[in-house]
Amino acid sequence: MNVLVIGNGGREHAVIQALAKSPKVDKIYAMKGNAGIAELAELVNVDYCDVKAVGDWVDAHKEIDFTVVTPDDPLALGLVDELESRGHRAFGPRKNAAIIEASKAFSKELMKKYNIPTAQYATFSDYAEAKSYVETCDIPVVLKADGLALGKGVLICKTREEALQGLEEMMLESKFGSAGSKVVVEEFLEGPEVSCLAFTDGKTIKPMITSCDHKRALDNDEGLNTGGMGTFSPAPFFGEQSAKEIMEKIMVPTMYAMNAENRTFKGVLYFGLMKTKDGYKVIEYNARFGDPETQVILPMLKTDLMEIFEAIVDERLDEVNIEWQDGACACLVLASGGYPEAYAKGKEITIGDLDEDVILCHAGTAMKDGKLVTSGGRVLGVCARGKDIEDARRKVYANAEKIHFDGMYYRKDIGIKYRDIIKE
Ligand code: AMP
Ligand code: GLY
């Protein structure tokens, strides 16, 4: 089978590495891919947010049997609907289901309506109303741009001044573009966070192994929010009891809520959860694999990923037994100086002799004049499995030292947090 994968990040490189191992997959195409992906797939230079152009390309390339859509934008724009309407097989939620990520106002309302635990909130489209609410609400408070903002549209405000200023930036100065014209103002929650991703075909939901992201740019969770600076799997505090609680109170209710709204979700549903003193609460939903969570999850997957994708499209996920490796996995993101704000591109990357069991996931890389160069904020993910998180962490940091580019920076504390929390 020939498979087209949409996207060009570290997540897509991880998905392609998993698909390349499948006996079902003959050839992989990637739109648009990156320098690492180019080693496993033929790159296709079409703008994947132009859903009609992607549809035309797939129509014209009869050799494509199956398309995997992983990034949030094309999902929200209806790429899966477009491909299906032309008679092609495609993995990922349709537009009316991808809204669970594309609109925070939608997802908050869904949770309220179906009693899915989440932070208290209020939604505003009018600045004056939002301002008068924020003038008296409890502090700290969390402001969230309604739309897609590359994981950066969230402000945790520790003082009222910060909150009022953040609101101005979002609603009056359009700091997050049109994503911020509607704002969700949310109660501040506390507790360890875990990313729980699940495969679902709308009838069955099967959790993946858990992982933890490091969203802030700097050590000790300081600095700005980013798309993710590193991950590890599994979450050390997450035991049987947690798995049961989130399955019963969050995962299954969300699947049924989407069905009840005539928005059946087929694909990867990502639950960003916080373990509060009142139990697990949903911080966010994503309609896709996380980045860089995927880079630590897929190396732990024993089952053929292509088999899972096909089962979801055919709505027979109940037939697939999904198995995971023992041990742990870590991923360290090497970023361009300045990210998540402005950063330079085109810096040459040198990679020394990495240990054989290290998995390199390319994110913002390209080839220019025969040289590997940076082309994004998150450049590379250095990933490794180990017998436990400490072992995986050690391998990842030892190998990161062998990689260089101008301005490269990375967090030094990936995989440390939560290790003292006792597993229930
Ligand atoms: P999101 O993009 O919604 O995942 O938010 C980014 C990060 O902001 C989350 O991973 C949390 O660390 C933090 N965050 C979001 N919402 C809340 C909240 N209600 N209380 C505390 N922290 C939050
Ligand atoms: N790492 C968080 C995300 O993919 O949204």
Side-chain angles (χ1 to χ4, degrees):
M1 181 177 341
N2 298 322
V3 183
L4 169 67
V5 176
I6 304 291
N8 48 11
R11 164 185 56 204
E12 283 74 22
H13 195 190
V15 166
I16 287 170
Q17 285 169 345
L19 291 178
K21 286 190 219 146
S22 169
K24 290 169 171 275
V25 175
D26 298 309
K27 183 164 178 188
I28 304 174
Y29 295 75
M31 189 184 282
K32 302 178 159 192
N34 58 36
I37 290 173
E39 289 172 17
L40 295 171
E42 184 172 322
L43 303 192
V44 179
N45 193 13
V46 170
D47 171 13
Y48 57 69
C49 285
D50 182 344
V51 296
K52 189 175 169 300
V54 181
D56 289 346
W57 190 90
V58 177
D59 275 350
H61 291 78
K62 303 275 176 255
E63 65 272 28
I64 303 295
D65 302 298
F66 195 98
T67 301
V68 178
V69 187
T70 32
D72 48 358
D73 288 322
L75 289 168
L77 290 165
L79 180 54
V80 170
D81 312 53
E82 179 73 25
L83 292 170
E84 284 179 346
S85 73
R86 296 173 186 237
H88 303 298
R89 272 152 70 76
F91 173 83
R94 294 181 186 151
K95 181 177 181 172
N96 74 350
I99 192 175
I100 197 165
E101 169 173 8
S103 168
K104 298 226 188 250
F106 169 85
S107 67
K108 293 299 288 187
E109 250 159 68
L110 185 85
M111 289 185 270
K112 192 172 177 185
K113 183 167 171 189
Y114 293 92
N115 270 320
I116 297 165
T118 189
Q120 297 294 324
Y121 74 103
T123 305
F124 299 95
S125 305
D126 179 75
Y127 172 71
E129 281 177 26
K131 182 165 178 266
S132 64
Y133 181 86
V134 169
E135 273 165 352
T136 56
C137 71
D138 286 345
I139 296 290
V141 69
V142 181
L143 306 182
K144 297 188 173 182
D146 175 55
L148 298 174
L150 294 173
K152 296 172 213 157
V154 174
L155 297 177
I156 314 278
C157 306
K158 300 229 164 72
T159 64
R160 197 166 312 279
E161 291 65 42
E162 251 180 76
L164 289 166
Q165 194 194 332
L167 201 60
E168 234 177 71
E169 286 172 4
M170 274 189 185
M171 298 190 84
L172 300 182
E173 294 160 23
S174 302
K175 189 166 177 192
F176 302 108
S178 60
S181 59
K182 202 191 253 183
V183 168
V184 173
V185 181
E186 206 174 85
E187 166 200 15
F188 175 77
L189 298 175
E190 281 176 287
E193 285 185 61
V194 55
S195 303
C196 294
L197 282 69
F199 293 110
T200 178
D201 59 3
K203 296 176 175 160
T204 306
I205 186 157
K206 297 202 171 185
M208 302 185 206
I209 194 165
T210 57
S211 57
C212 296
D213 192 5
H214 299 69
K215 287 200 168 130
R216 298 297 197 99
L218 307 174
D219 285 10
N220 300 317
D221 286 338
E222 286 173 13
L224 294 171
N225 255 321
T226 70
M229 294 298 292
T231 39
F232 59 94
S233 172
F237 58 85
F238 195 94
E240 297 272 314
Q241 212 176 304
S242 295
K244 186 168 181 293
E245 177 182 333
I246 68 158
M247 190 49 130
E248 285 171 4
K249 297 200 171 143
I250 296 175
M251 289 191 169
V252 170
T254 302
M255 181 178 76
Y256 284 129
M258 291 299 276
N259 288 340
E261 296 291 312
N262 284 319
R263 294 176 183 274
T264 293
F265 191 102
K266 290 168 67 173
V268 171
L269 191 48
Y270 168 130
F271 301 82
L273 306 177
M274 193 178 274
K275 187 179 186 187
T276 73
K277 60 179 180 1
D278 304 317
Y280 281 92
K281 294 195 179 180
V282 177
I283 293 286
E284 67 163 344
Y285 288 116
N286 289 324
R288 51 170 175 85
F289 278 112
D291 189 345
E293 285 88 342
T294 309
Q295 291 88 314
V296 290
I297 292 173
L298 292 183
M300 301 290 282
L301 178 66
K302 284 195 203 165
T303 312
D304 180 345
L305 184 61
M306 192 63 223
E307 186 186 339
I308 301 174
F309 284 168
E310 284 197 282
I312 290 172
V313 170
D314 300 340
E315 297 179 16
R316 46 176 183 75
L317 183 61
D318 60 327
E319 293 171 11
V320 184
N321 182 25
I322 301 179
E323 291 182 292
W324 302 94
Q325 306 268 7
D326 291 331
C329 192
C331 168
L332 172 68
V333 170
L334 310 182
S336 297
Y339 173 79
E341 296 192 295
Y343 54 84
K345 292 184 186 176
K347 302 290 179 193
E348 187 177 351
I349 306 168
T350 57
I351 304 177
D353 273 339
L354 303 184
D355 293 344
E356 239 170 57
D357 55 351
V358 165
I359 307 162
L360 206 52
C361 290
H362 286 237
T365 67
M367 290 303 287
K368 197 176 165 202
D369 304 328
K371 285 182 181 156
L372 183 66
V373 297
T374 66
S375 67
R378 292 188 291 176
V379 176
L380 289 165
V382 185
C383 314
R385 284 214 317 263
K387 64 178 182 342
D388 54 24
I389 289 164
E390 194 45 42
D391 188 32
R393 204 183 109 71
R394 195 182 38 75
K395 282 191 207 171
V396 157
Y397 278 99
N399 284 276
E401 283 180 12
K402 302 176 192 170
I403 301 174
H404 296 281
F405 54 86
D406 251 12
M408 174 173 114
Y409 87 94
Y410 54 83
R411 281 182 60 159
K412 307 288 187 300
D413 62 348
I414 301 304
I416 288 179
K417 67 177 176 182
Y418 306 154
R419 65 179 168 194
D420 299 328
I421 306 177
I422 294 161
K423 196 164 164 175
E424 74 288 75

